[in-house]
Amino acid sequence: MGCDGGTIPKRHELVKGPKKVEKIDKNAELVARWYYCTLSQEKLKRPIVTCELGRLYNKDAVIEFLLDKSPDKPHADSAAHIKSIKNVIELNLTDNPAWKGDKGNTKGDTYDEQRAQFICPVVGLEVNGKHRFCVLRNCGCVFSERALKEIKTDICHKCGASFKDDDVILLNGDKDEIEKLRKKMEKSIFTSHSSAKRTKDQSSNWVTHTAYYF
């Protein structure tokens, strides 16, 4: 066997190239995003909230973070933009009748066989990372992007609250989509601060003018 005259070794058997870089398991990455809190890395459980960037957190993890913003806390950078509990939206999720709790979902190699705990209330798609989902800022109701595109309306399908296109936040988007949401968030903060400053200036001018007349 091998180099004893009986066989001729091939070039790829003699020349070893660089080791292939292992690719990130996309399936595992989806599970991490949709099944675990971005901040605490614990399993997502109600009440679940999202930020303006569409990341998912357990509400109690956000509250703990706001009470103790130590920079050395694990994953603190993922919530650095959250300054107040008002900066997150509590999700109004729809339960999946086919979900059987954690039974059968304990093996780490069976992600594709898991049934998601939540679904889209309109088209029934599961919230498992295979489909794109959005939340409405005003009411917190969660729908698949497909449902929002197929049934055009400015009224929430679940609770009846009105909303605009700007009120729709994509959950767990890719890097480019998160960057767009970040710019939108920063613009909103700037506009809010500018509006507050104008109101303060107007109030100050009113007081000054009133004092002058009296």
Side-chain angles (χ1 to χ4, degrees):
M1 297 293 292
C3 297
D4 59 358
T7 59
I8 301 176
K10 296 181 180 179
R11 183 178 182 279
H12 74 272
E13 295 174 334
L14 298 175
V15 181
K16 292 185 178 180
K19 291 183 178 180
K20 292 183 179 179
V21 178
E22 292 185 6
K23 294 183 178 179
I24 298 175
D25 187 338
K26 291 184 178 181
N27 214 17
E29 187 178 2
L30 285 175
V31 169
R33 285 190 196 175
W34 292 95
Y35 289 85
Y36 294 89
C37 171
T38 302
L39 192 55
S40 67
Q41 300 299 298
E42 295 179 354
K43 278 190 176 182
L44 287 169
K45 58 182 180 180
R46 283 190 173 101
I48 301 170
V49 299
T50 185
C51 62
E52 292 288 336
L53 304 182
R55 293 169 178 161
L56 302 181
Y57 312 85
N58 284 328
K59 188 174 183 178
D60 57 356
V62 174
I63 293 173
E64 289 178 13
F65 167 76
L66 292 173
L67 293 175
D68 179 14
K69 294 185 178 181
S70 303
D72 57 341
K73 290 186 71 173
H75 311 290
D77 57 331
S78 69
H81 57 291
I82 300 176
K83 309 300 182 184
S84 161
I85 197 65
K86 293 180 180 180
N87 297 146
V88 295
I89 304 162
E90 187 167 329
L91 303 184
N92 183 3
L93 294 153
T94 303
D95 289 324
N96 181 3
W99 188 65
K100 300 179 180 179
D102 291 328
K103 296 179 180 179
N105 289 343
T106 55
K107 294 184 178 180
D109 57 350
T110 58
Y111 294 142
D112 57 341
E113 297 177 3
Q114 287 187 356
R115 302 312 300 254
Q117 185 176 356
F118 310 109
I119 60 172
C120 171
V122 178
V123 294
L125 294 176
E126 294 190 353
V127 184
N128 56 13
K130 295 180 180 179
H131 312 284
R132 290 159 65 89
F133 274 79
C134 305
V135 60
L136 304 184
R137 181 185 282 104
N138 292 349
C139 58
C141 294
V142 177
F143 301 94
S144 64
E145 188 180 56
R146 182 190 299 180
L148 293 178
K149 286 183 176 180
E150 290 182 354
I151 307 176
K152 291 289 185 180
T153 179
D154 56 359
I155 301 297
C156 174
H157 301 303
K158 187 171 183 179
C159 71
S162 60
F163 69 93
K164 300 177 181 178
D165 289 342
D166 284 345
D167 296 323
V168 179
I169 299 175
L170 178 67
L171 299 175
N172 283 330
D174 59 31
K175 289 182 179 180
D176 291 337
E177 289 162 337
I178 290 175
E179 188 57 31
K180 288 180 181 178
L181 288 173
R182 186 184 298 279
K183 290 179 179 178
K184 185 177 179 180
M185 176 185 70
E186 292 171 349
K187 182 180 179 181
S188 177
I189 292 173
F190 176 79
T191 302
S192 178
H193 285 176
S194 298
S195 177
K197 186 177 183 302
R198 283 196 301 270
T199 301
K200 183 178 180 180
D201 290 343
Q202 290 171 357
S203 177
S204 177
N205 290 336
W206 183 85
V207 171
T208 302
H209 291 161
T210 303
Y212 173 79
Y213 284 112
F214 287 92

